[in-house]
C-alpha cells in the first residue's frame, strides 16, 4: 500500500473533501441521536469528536437546553470518550460495556441508563432493529485508501456493524496509530441475517476468512477529522502474591488436565479476560511447560503479547489491543512484523458462540464473587452497583471447552469474602462455571452436584477467616432447608452482604 510512504492518510479524494474540524463534525450531531462509536478496551476509540461533542452539550446545558445522546461502542473506551461525555451529562443511555469512573457513578446514581450485555449480542441486536435507528457512526481509523477502503485502528469491535447500520459516518483518522496495522485485521462480510445465515468458515484460531479493510459507502461519510491523540494505555501492576498464586493454581491444573489426557500438550485456544490477575496468568504461562499455544480471545494485552514474542504462543486472534504505555511504545511501531501471528476480528466473530464452541476455547475470567454452588457475579458490588459489565465473559464461559473464574478470596482488605453463601447478582449460572480458583486453591466443579460443589469450593477456595462461616451456613442449610438439592436458608443467604453494608465487614463480630 502506498499511503504510508506519502504520509497522507486520506487518499480517497471524495472522502478527503469532507475534512473538517472536530467542532464542525460535532455540530452535525442532533439531540436524541443514537451513535455507534468505535472502541474496545481503551483502544481505537474516537477522541476528538466526542470531546468536541461534550463541550457542545455542556454549552447547551448552560443555556438550559436539553441535549443527550445514546452511545453504543464495542466495549470500554477512554477519558476522551466516556470520560468527557459522562462529565458533560451527555449520555442518556450507554451500552454494552464501560469501565469509566464518572460513567459508573452516573449509572449507579440513576442519572444514566446502562444496558450491560453479552458482547457477542450487540451487533445482532442493532442489526435486527431492536434498538431502533442508528443515526451516526463515529469510527477511529488508521487511514483511507484511494479506492475508499479503510485501514482500521487498534480495535475492530462493532465498527463493521455501526458503519453498515448508521445513516451517517464520521471518520477520525488518527496519525498516532501505526500504518503497520495494515493487513492485521480480518473482517468477515459473509454473516447475513437469519434465516439466511451460512456456517462461518473459521476452523482455526489464526485463520483469515475475510478482508483486511473496512468497507464504507462513500455517500455515508459526512465528515473526516484528523487527530493525534493516543489510545488510553493503562499500566499493569506488577503481579502481587495473590495473583501469582492464582496463576500458579491454574497452571498446575492445566498440567494435570494434560497428564489426564483431557487437554492436548499445547492446550486449546486460550481466552483471557482483562486486568491484572489475567495478565499475571499469562505471565505464568510464559514460565510454564506449555509450547505452541494459541489464543482466541477479545483482547491482546502485554502478557499475551509476551507469549507471542517469546515463541511460546504461535498465534492470537482478538478484537483489540489493550497494551500498557510500555507495550504501546515497544510493540506498536513494529506490529506489522506480527501480521502472520495476530488477527483482529469484529467482536461478533471474536466472541461468536459457535466458533468458541467449535475451537474449544479455555475461558479464564475475573469475578467479583462466587457462591458455594458455583454461581458467579462478574458485575455488581453488593447486589446493586454495577462495576464494569459482563463484557465477553458470558460468551466464552457458556460456550468454551471449560470456563475458569478467578479472584482473590477476599476483597477490600479482607472485609469481604469473594466466596459467599449466595451471590448478590448472577451473571454466570452454576451451569456455565467449570472451575473456581482463588489464591487458596482451585475447585474443579465439572461433573459434580450442587452439594458436592459446595463442599469443594468452601474447602479449596475460601479464605481461612471465612471458611468456618461458609461451612456452618452450608451444614445448617442442608439440615434445615426443605430441599436438599441446592439447600439455602433464604432468610440468611444474603446476610453476609447486608452485614457488610451495615458494619463494613462481612465477618461476624465474634468470628
Ligand atoms: N465485593 C466488593 N468489592 C469487590 C469484590 C467483592 N466481592 N471483589 C472485588 N471488589 C473490588 C476490589 O476490592 C477492587 O476495588 P478497588 O478498585 O476499590 O481496589 C475492585 O473491585 C476490582 O477488583 P480487582 O480484584 O482489582 O479485580 P480485577 O481488576 O481483576 O477485576 C472484575 C475484576 C470482575 C471487576 C473484572 O474482571 C470485570 O469487570 N469482569 C467482567 C468483564 C469480563 O469478565 N470481561 C472478560 C472478557 S474481556
Amino acid at each position: 500500500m502506498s499511503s504510508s510512504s506519502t504520509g497522507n492518510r486520506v487518499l480517497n479524494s471524495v472522502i478527503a473533501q469532507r475534512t473538517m474540524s472536530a467542532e464542525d463534525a460535532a455540530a452535525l450531531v442532533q439531540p436524541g441521536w443514537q451513535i455507534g462509536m468505535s472502541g474496545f478496551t481503551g483502544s481505537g476509540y474516537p477522541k476528538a469528536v466526542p470531546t468536541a461533542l461534550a463541550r457542545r452539550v455542556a454549552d447547551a446545558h448552560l443555556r438550559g437546553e436539553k441535549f443527550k445522546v445514546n452511545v453504543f461502542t464495542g466495549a470500554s473506551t477512554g477519558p476522551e470518550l466516556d470520560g468527557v461525555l459522562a462529565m458533560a451529562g451527555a449520555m442518556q443511555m450507554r451500552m454494552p460495556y464501560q469501565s469509566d469512573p464518572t460513567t459508573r457513578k452516573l449509572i449507579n446514581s440513576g442519572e444514566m441508563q446502562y444496558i450491560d450485555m453479552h458482547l457477542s449480542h450487540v451487533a445482532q441486536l442493532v442489526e435486527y432493529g431492536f434498538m431502533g435507528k442508528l443515526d451516526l457512526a463515529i469510527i477511529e481509523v488508521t487511514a483511507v485508501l484511494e479506492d475508499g477502503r479503510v485501514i482500521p485502528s487498534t480495535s475492530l469491535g462493532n465498527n463493521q456493524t455501526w458503519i453498515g447500520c448508521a445513516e451517517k459516518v464520521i471518520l477520525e483518522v488518527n496519525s498516532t496509530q501505526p500504518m503497520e496495522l495494515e493487513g492485521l485485521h480480518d473482517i468477515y462480510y459473509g454473516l447475513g441475517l437469519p434465516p439466511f445465515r451460512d456456517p462461518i468458515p473459521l476452523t482455526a484460531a489464526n485463520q483469515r476468512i475475510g478482508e483486511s479493510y473496512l468497507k464504507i459507502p462513500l455517500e455515508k461519510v459526512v465528515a473526516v477529522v484528523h487527530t493525534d491523540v493516543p489510545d488510553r494505555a493503562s499500566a499493569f501492576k506488577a503481579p502481587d502474591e495473590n495473583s501469582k498464586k492464582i496463576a500458579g493454581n491454574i497452571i498446575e491444573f492445566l498440567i494435570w488436565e494434560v497428564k489426564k489426557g483431557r487437554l492436548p500438550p499445547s492446550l486449546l485456544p486460550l481466552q483471557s479476560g482483562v486486568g491484572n490477575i489475567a495478565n499475571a496468568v499469562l505471565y505464568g504461562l510464559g514460565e510454564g511447560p506449555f509450547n505452541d499455544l494459541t489464543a482466541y480471545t477479545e483482547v491482546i494485552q502485554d502478557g499475551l503479547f509476551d507469549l507471542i514474542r517469546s515463541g511460546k504462543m504461535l498465534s492470537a486472534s482478538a478484537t483489540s489491543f489493550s497494551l500498557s504505555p510500555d507495550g504501546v511504545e515497544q510493540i506498536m511501531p513494529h506490529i506489522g512484523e506480527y501480521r502472520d501471528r495476530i488477527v483482529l476480528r469484529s467482536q461478533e466473530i471474536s466472541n461468536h458462540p459457535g466458533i468458541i464452541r467449535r475451537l474449544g476455547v479455555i475461558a479464564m475470567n475475573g469475578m467479583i464473587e462466587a457462591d458455594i454452588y458455583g454461581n458467579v457475579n462478574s458485575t455488581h458490588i453488593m447486589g446493586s452497583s454495577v462495576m464494569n459489565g459482563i463484557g465477553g465473559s458470558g460468551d466464552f464461559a457458556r460456550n468454551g471447552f471449560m470456563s475458569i473464574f478467578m479472584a482473590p478470596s477476599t476483597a477490600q482488605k479482607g472485609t469481604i469474602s469473594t466466596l459467599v453463601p449466595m451471590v448478590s447478582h448472577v451473571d454466570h449460572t452454576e451451569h456455565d462455571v467449570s472451575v473456581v480458583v482463588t489464591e487458596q486453591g482451585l475447585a474443579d466443579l465439572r461433573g459434580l452436584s450442587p452439594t458436592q460443589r459446595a463442599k469443594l469450593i468452601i474447602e479449596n477456595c475460601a479464605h481461612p477467616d471465612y471458611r468456618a462461616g461458609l461451612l456452618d451456613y452450608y451444614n445448617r442449610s442442608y439440615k434445615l432447608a426443605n430441599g436438599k438439592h441446592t439447600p439455602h436458608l433464604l432468610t440468611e443467604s444474603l446476610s453476609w452482604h447486608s452485614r457488610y453494608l451495615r458494619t463494613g465487614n462481612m465477618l461476624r463480630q465474634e468470628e
Side-chain angles (χ1 to χ4, degrees):
M1 128 91 202
S2 45
S3 55
S4 53
S5 49
T6 64
N8 173 12
R9 291 195 171 212
V10 183
L11 296 182
N12 180 275
S13 55
V14 179
I15 291 187
Q17 280 167 19
R18 299 182 190 150
T19 302
M20 61 181 79
S21 68
E23 287 68 28
D24 286 347
L28 300 171
V29 176
Q30 297 299 314
W33 269 15
Q34 302 211 102
I35 309 176
M37 301 203 198
S38 61
F40 199 106
T41 349
S43 289
Y45 58 96
K47 287 106 180 161
V49 180
T51 302
L53 179 61
R55 278 198 294 269
R56 189 174 158 218
V57 170
D59 289 347
H61 289 175
L62 280 177
R63 293 192 300 271
E65 294 164 18
K66 287 192 177 142
F67 197 149
K68 281 185 192 287
V69 292
N70 292 347
V71 175
F72 312 166
T73 58
S76 59
T77 65
E80 307 87 350
L81 196 164
D82 272 310
V84 290
L85 290 176
M87 277 187 254
M91 293 187 280
Q92 176 71 34
M93 186 275 274
R94 178 78 176 87
M95 75 169 212
Y97 187 86
Q98 59 74 42
S99 62
D100 174 70
T102 314
T103 308
R104 186 183 296 137
K105 209 163 145 193
L106 291 183
I107 295 166
N108 286 322
S109 63
E111 291 166 74
M112 199 179 136
Q113 303 303 310
Y114 178 44
I115 306 175
D116 166 28
M117 54 191 296
H118 296 303
L119 296 187
S120 73
H121 283 179
V122 184
Q124 63 178 28
L125 194 83
V126 174
E127 278 164 0
Y128 295 168
F130 298 150
M131 296 306 298
K133 186 167 72 124
L134 191 65
D135 299 285
L136 176 68
I138 307 179
I139 310 292
E140 180 179 284
V141 303
T142 300
V144 183
L145 304 186
E146 210 161 346
D147 59 9
R149 287 176 305 158
V150 164
I151 304 175
S153 180
T154 40
S155 68
L156 267 175
N158 285 312
N159 296 357
Q160 183 184 354
T161 304
W162 301 160
I163 290 164
C165 293
E167 290 197 336
K168 299 180 173 63
V169 176
I170 294 175
L171 297 179
E172 266 199 39
V173 183
N174 191 331
S175 59
T176 66
Q177 304 295 15
M179 291 300 300
E180 290 271 304
L181 284 165
E182 185 176 12
L184 213 83
H185 308 86
D186 186 66
I187 304 162
Y188 179 63
Y189 280 98
L191 204 54
L193 289 178
F196 307 108
R197 275 198 167 162
D198 290 325
I200 301 165
L202 198 150
T203 53
N206 65 342
Q207 193 183 338
R208 290 179 180 272
I209 56 170
E211 304 171 27
S212 301
Y213 305 96
L214 281 164
K215 293 190 262 193
I216 302 189
L218 293 188
E219 65 282 4
K220 282 194 181 185
V221 180
V222 292
V224 176
V225 173
H226 290 270
T227 59
D228 58 3
V229 181
D231 279 336
R232 169 200 93 186
S234 315
F236 289 109
K237 284 189 246 162
D240 61 12
E241 272 315 299
N242 277 348
S243 306
K244 283 187 198 158
K245 282 185 186 158
I246 292 172
N249 291 338
I250 292 176
I251 287 154
E252 196 183 317
F253 168 73
L254 293 174
I255 292 171
W256 172 249
E257 289 298 296
V258 172
K259 207 165 159 190
K260 295 296 275 182
R262 290 191 286 245
L263 278 175
S266 56
L267 305 180
L268 286 165
L270 302 169
Q271 177 263 336
S272 160
V274 285
N276 294 313
I277 300 178
N279 217 33
V281 173
L282 295 169
Y283 280 119
L285 282 167
E287 287 153 21
F290 310 108
N291 292 304
D292 299 338
L293 296 166
T294 56
Y296 196 80
T297 187
E298 279 177 9
V299 171
I300 295 178
Q301 53 189 35
D302 292 35
L304 199 73
F305 202 87
D306 278 6
L307 287 174
I308 294 178
R309 201 158 34 184
S310 71
K312 281 257 181 192
M313 181 170 274
L314 298 179
S315 66
S317 162
T319 191
S320 89
F321 289 103
S322 183
L323 299 172
S324 68
D326 279 355
V328 170
E329 204 181 302
Q330 288 170 27
I331 296 162
M332 272 303 155
H334 315 287
I335 196 67
E337 293 167 23
Y338 295 90
R339 218 167 272 137
D340 56 338
R341 280 168 283 170
I342 291 180
V343 190
L344 291 191
R345 310 179 189 280
S346 293
Q347 76 191 59
E348 206 174 9
I349 302 293
S350 67
N351 287 39
H352 195 282
I355 298 171
I356 292 166
R357 181 72 58 92
R358 181 184 297 161
L359 298 178
V361 175
I362 300 174
M364 299 183 283
N365 290 293
M367 63 179 185
I368 285 174
E369 60 183 7
D371 67 27
I372 54 175
Y373 297 114
N375 299 288
V376 165
N377 167 13
S378 292
T379 56
H380 281 69
I381 304 293
M382 299 299 146
S384 302
S385 297
V386 77
M387 183 75 174
N388 301 321
I390 193 168
S393 56
D395 296 325
F396 288 93
R398 166 69 54 91
N399 302 297
F401 181 83
M402 68 164 79
S403 171
I404 301 172
F405 282 96
M406 54 201 175
S409 64
T410 62
Q412 299 291 339
K413 300 195 170 85
T415 57
I416 292 172
S417 172
T418 57
L419 283 313
V420 288
M422 182 186 264
V423 282
S424 58
H425 176 93
V426 191
D427 293 294
H428 313 287
T429 73
E430 53 176 327
H431 314 286
D432 295 331
V433 179
S434 322
V435 171
V436 170
V437 56
T438 69
E439 81 289 352
Q440 300 293 323
L442 178 145
D444 178 0
L445 309 178
R446 294 170 299 172
L448 300 184
S449 71
T451 49
Q452 291 169 324
R453 291 198 296 263
K455 285 177 213 150
L456 201 66
I457 289 176
I458 296 169
E459 181 69 23
N460 290 8
C461 303
H463 191 276
D465 289 351
Y466 290 96
R467 200 174 287 146
L470 285 172
L471 202 56
D472 173 57
Y473 173 81
Y474 169 75
N475 286 335
R476 284 186 299 109
S477 301
Y478 193 79
K479 208 163 142 199
L480 300 172
N482 55 5
K484 304 295 177 226
H485 180 63
T486 311
H488 267 303
L489 299 174
L490 293 183
T491 49
E492 240 187 79
S493 47
L494 293 171
S495 63
W496 289 35
H497 299 85
S498 50
R499 188 183 309 130
Y500 176 81
L501 290 173
R502 273 196 326 274
T503 68
N505 202 327
M506 272 191 181
L507 269 182
R508 281 200 217 108
Q509 291 307 317
E510 63 273 22
E511 278 169 332

